[in-house]
Amino acid sequence: SACFYNLYSLCLLRQAACRLCAVNFLSVSDDGKLSFEEFNTYFADGILTTEELQELFYSIDGQQNNNLDTDKLSDYFSQHLGEYLNVLSALESLNIAILKAMDKTKEEYQGASVLGQFVTRFMLRETSSQLLSLQRSLQCAMEAVEEQICRNTVHTFESDTVFCTKYFIAEWITL
């Protein structure tokens, strides 16, 4: 039960931090501003070059002073949410529902009957299983997008193709 309480506390802290500011966690100096190095460290995806990331950084900043306000970064991504607005809203609702269920579980589990505790454990496992299934689907979608990028760059960047091939073989082996 101590493990459960620590996990629960960690979830509450994470939720509170996310609500305070969605992107402030990126700033090492915790001043609500990002240097290009902090931006590059977080957003480098192996596909955009450092130069492309720097161009994006300065286009969002507009001032080119290597000090991007995280509110501007949040505004930038907010303009590009598209269909992910519904996804992120649903995830926020799901997060709240799960935290409420965990809170109720924390309050009631010890006093529940053996059968009640069994049902609670089953519900936790089933919830976890459903979330893992969703995560696997998202991972497959991400891999498919990355594979598409690799296919599109075959003719232009032969060295990238070698990287992509090695990456996907390594990913396939780990499955």
Side-chain angles (χ1 to χ4, degrees), residues 4 98 101-102 105 109 115-131:
F4 176 79
I98 289 173
M102 288 173 56
T105 298
Y109 185 79
L115 184 56
Q117 289 179 349
F118 166 78
V119 170
T120 298
R121 290 189 308 273
F122 168 78
M123 296 308 254
L124 286 169
R125 277 193 314 270
E126 184 60 23
T127 301
S128 178
S129 176
Q130 293 293 324
L131 290 172

Short mmCIF file of all heavy atoms in Angstrom, two decimals, residues 4 98 101-102 105 109 115-131:
data_model
loop_
_atom_site.label_atom_id
_atom_site.label_comp_id
_atom_site.label_asym_id
_atom_site.label_seq_id
_atom_site.Cartn_x
_atom_site.Cartn_y
_atom_site.Cartn_z
N PHE A 4 1.57 1.95 -3.61
CA PHE A 4 0.39 2.54 -4.24
C PHE A 4 0.28 4.02 -3.88
O PHE A 4 0.05 4.86 -4.74
CB PHE A 4 -0.87 1.80 -3.79
CG PHE A 4 -2.12 2.41 -4.32
CD1 PHE A 4 -2.52 2.18 -5.62
CD2 PHE A 4 -2.90 3.24 -3.53
CE1 PHE A 4 -3.67 2.77 -6.12
CE2 PHE A 4 -4.04 3.82 -4.02
CZ PHE A 4 -4.43 3.59 -5.31
N ILE A 98 -9.28 8.66 -13.88
CA ILE A 98 -8.40 7.64 -13.29
C ILE A 98 -7.92 8.10 -11.91
O ILE A 98 -7.91 7.32 -10.95
CB ILE A 98 -7.22 7.31 -14.22
CG1 ILE A 98 -7.73 6.53 -15.43
CG2 ILE A 98 -6.13 6.54 -13.49
CD1 ILE A 98 -6.69 6.30 -16.51
N ALA A 101 -10.67 7.66 -9.45
CA ALA A 101 -10.84 6.24 -9.12
C ALA A 101 -9.72 5.77 -8.19
O ALA A 101 -9.96 5.03 -7.24
CB ALA A 101 -10.86 5.39 -10.40
N MET A 102 -8.50 6.23 -8.45
CA MET A 102 -7.39 5.85 -7.57
C MET A 102 -7.57 6.44 -6.18
O MET A 102 -7.26 5.80 -5.18
CB MET A 102 -6.06 6.31 -8.19
CG MET A 102 -5.66 5.48 -9.41
SD MET A 102 -4.21 6.10 -10.29
CE MET A 102 -2.99 6.15 -9.01
N THR A 105 -10.10 4.36 -4.51
CA THR A 105 -9.48 3.08 -4.18
C THR A 105 -8.63 3.21 -2.93
O THR A 105 -8.69 2.36 -2.03
CB THR A 105 -8.62 2.59 -5.37
OG1 THR A 105 -9.47 2.37 -6.49
CG2 THR A 105 -7.89 1.30 -5.03
N TYR A 109 -10.01 0.69 -0.22
CA TYR A 109 -9.46 -0.64 -0.47
C TYR A 109 -9.24 -1.43 0.82
O TYR A 109 -9.65 -2.60 0.91
CB TYR A 109 -8.15 -0.55 -1.26
CG TYR A 109 -7.60 -1.90 -1.64
CD1 TYR A 109 -8.13 -2.60 -2.71
CD2 TYR A 109 -6.56 -2.47 -0.93
CE1 TYR A 109 -7.64 -3.84 -3.07
CE2 TYR A 109 -6.05 -3.72 -1.27
CZ TYR A 109 -6.60 -4.40 -2.33
OH TYR A 109 -6.12 -5.63 -2.68
N LEU A 115 -13.51 -10.09 -1.63
CA LEU A 115 -14.07 -10.05 -2.98
C LEU A 115 -14.01 -8.63 -3.54
O LEU A 115 -13.67 -8.42 -4.71
CB LEU A 115 -15.52 -10.56 -2.98
CG LEU A 115 -16.20 -10.67 -4.34
CD1 LEU A 115 -15.38 -11.56 -5.28
CD2 LEU A 115 -17.60 -11.19 -4.19
N GLY A 116 -14.31 -7.63 -2.72
CA GLY A 116 -14.23 -6.24 -3.15
C GLY A 116 -12.80 -5.85 -3.54
O GLY A 116 -12.58 -5.15 -4.53
N GLN A 117 -11.83 -6.32 -2.76
CA GLN A 117 -10.43 -6.06 -3.09
C GLN A 117 -10.03 -6.74 -4.39
O GLN A 117 -9.31 -6.18 -5.21
CB GLN A 117 -9.52 -6.51 -1.94
CG GLN A 117 -9.62 -5.63 -0.72
CD GLN A 117 -8.72 -6.10 0.42
OE1 GLN A 117 -8.17 -7.20 0.39
NE2 GLN A 117 -8.58 -5.24 1.43
N PHE A 118 -10.54 -7.97 -4.59
CA PHE A 118 -10.27 -8.70 -5.83
C PHE A 118 -10.80 -7.91 -7.03
O PHE A 118 -10.10 -7.73 -8.03
CB PHE A 118 -10.90 -10.09 -5.79
CG PHE A 118 -10.96 -10.75 -7.13
CD1 PHE A 118 -9.82 -11.33 -7.68
CD2 PHE A 118 -12.14 -10.77 -7.86
CE1 PHE A 118 -9.87 -11.93 -8.94
CE2 PHE A 118 -12.19 -11.36 -9.11
CZ PHE A 118 -11.05 -11.94 -9.65
N VAL A 119 -12.03 -7.42 -6.93
CA VAL A 119 -12.64 -6.64 -8.01
C VAL A 119 -11.83 -5.38 -8.28
O VAL A 119 -11.57 -5.02 -9.43
CB VAL A 119 -14.12 -6.32 -7.70
CG1 VAL A 119 -14.68 -5.32 -8.69
CG2 VAL A 119 -14.95 -7.60 -7.69
N THR A 120 -11.40 -4.72 -7.22
CA THR A 120 -10.58 -3.51 -7.38
C THR A 120 -9.28 -3.82 -8.11
O THR A 120 -8.88 -3.10 -9.03
CB THR A 120 -10.28 -2.87 -6.01
OG1 THR A 120 -11.52 -2.49 -5.41
CG2 THR A 120 -9.39 -1.67 -6.14
N ARG A 121 -8.60 -4.89 -7.70
CA ARG A 121 -7.35 -5.27 -8.37
C ARG A 121 -7.59 -5.61 -9.83
O ARG A 121 -6.82 -5.22 -10.71
CB ARG A 121 -6.68 -6.45 -7.65
CG ARG A 121 -6.11 -6.09 -6.28
CD ARG A 121 -5.26 -7.22 -5.70
NE ARG A 121 -5.92 -8.51 -5.67
CZ ARG A 121 -6.70 -8.94 -4.68
NH1 ARG A 121 -6.91 -8.19 -3.61
NH2 ARG A 121 -7.24 -10.15 -4.73
N PHE A 122 -8.70 -6.29 -10.11
CA PHE A 122 -9.05 -6.61 -11.50
C PHE A 122 -9.27 -5.33 -12.30
O PHE A 122 -8.77 -5.19 -13.42
CB PHE A 122 -10.29 -7.50 -11.57
CG PHE A 122 -10.82 -7.61 -12.98
CD1 PHE A 122 -10.20 -8.45 -13.89
CD2 PHE A 122 -11.91 -6.85 -13.39
CE1 PHE A 122 -10.67 -8.54 -15.20
CE2 PHE A 122 -12.37 -6.93 -14.69
CZ PHE A 122 -11.76 -7.77 -15.60
N MET A 123 -10.00 -4.39 -11.73
CA MET A 123 -10.29 -3.13 -12.43
C MET A 123 -9.00 -2.35 -12.70
O MET A 123 -8.82 -1.77 -13.77
CB MET A 123 -11.28 -2.28 -11.65
CG MET A 123 -12.64 -2.93 -11.51
SD MET A 123 -13.28 -3.45 -13.12
CE MET A 123 -14.51 -2.23 -13.35
N LEU A 124 -8.08 -2.33 -11.74
CA LEU A 124 -6.80 -1.66 -11.94
C LEU A 124 -6.01 -2.34 -13.06
O LEU A 124 -5.45 -1.66 -13.94
CB LEU A 124 -5.99 -1.63 -10.65
CG LEU A 124 -6.46 -0.65 -9.58
CD1 LEU A 124 -5.75 -0.91 -8.26
CD2 LEU A 124 -6.23 0.78 -10.04
N ARG A 125 -5.96 -3.69 -13.04
CA ARG A 125 -5.23 -4.41 -14.10
C ARG A 125 -5.88 -4.17 -15.46
O ARG A 125 -5.18 -3.97 -16.45
CB ARG A 125 -5.21 -5.92 -13.80
CG ARG A 125 -4.12 -6.34 -12.85
CD ARG A 125 -3.94 -7.86 -12.84
NE ARG A 125 -5.16 -8.63 -12.77
CZ ARG A 125 -5.75 -9.01 -11.62
NH1 ARG A 125 -5.23 -8.70 -10.46
NH2 ARG A 125 -6.86 -9.72 -11.65
N GLU A 126 -7.19 -4.20 -15.51
CA GLU A 126 -7.89 -4.00 -16.78
C GLU A 126 -7.67 -2.58 -17.31
O GLU A 126 -7.44 -2.38 -18.50
CB GLU A 126 -9.39 -4.28 -16.63
CG GLU A 126 -10.17 -4.19 -17.92
CD GLU A 126 -9.70 -5.15 -19.01
OE1 GLU A 126 -9.09 -6.19 -18.70
OE2 GLU A 126 -9.96 -4.84 -20.19
N THR A 127 -7.72 -1.60 -16.43
CA THR A 127 -7.46 -0.22 -16.83
C THR A 127 -6.05 -0.10 -17.36
O THR A 127 -5.81 0.49 -18.42
CB THR A 127 -7.69 0.74 -15.64
OG1 THR A 127 -9.04 0.62 -15.18
CG2 THR A 127 -7.41 2.19 -16.05
N SER A 128 -5.11 -0.67 -16.65
CA SER A 128 -3.71 -0.64 -17.08
C SER A 128 -3.55 -1.33 -18.43
O SER A 128 -2.85 -0.83 -19.32
CB SER A 128 -2.83 -1.30 -16.03
OG SER A 128 -1.49 -1.31 -16.45
N SER A 129 -4.19 -2.46 -18.60
CA SER A 129 -4.12 -3.21 -19.85
C SER A 129 -4.67 -2.39 -21.02
O SER A 129 -4.09 -2.35 -22.11
CB SER A 129 -4.89 -4.52 -19.72
OG SER A 129 -4.92 -5.21 -20.94
N GLN A 130 -5.79 -1.73 -20.81
CA GLN A 130 -6.39 -0.89 -21.86
C GLN A 130 -5.48 0.27 -22.22
O GLN A 130 -5.32 0.61 -23.39
CB GLN A 130 -7.75 -0.37 -21.41
CG GLN A 130 -8.81 -1.43 -21.26
CD GLN A 130 -9.19 -2.06 -22.59
OE1 GLN A 130 -9.23 -1.40 -23.62
NE2 GLN A 130 -9.45 -3.36 -22.57
N LEU A 131 -4.86 0.89 -21.21
CA LEU A 131 -3.95 2.00 -21.47
C LEU A 131 -2.70 1.52 -22.22
O LEU A 131 -2.22 2.20 -23.13
CB LEU A 131 -3.57 2.70 -20.17
CG LEU A 131 -4.69 3.50 -19.51
CD1 LEU A 131 -4.25 3.98 -18.13
CD2 LEU A 131 -5.11 4.67 -20.39
#
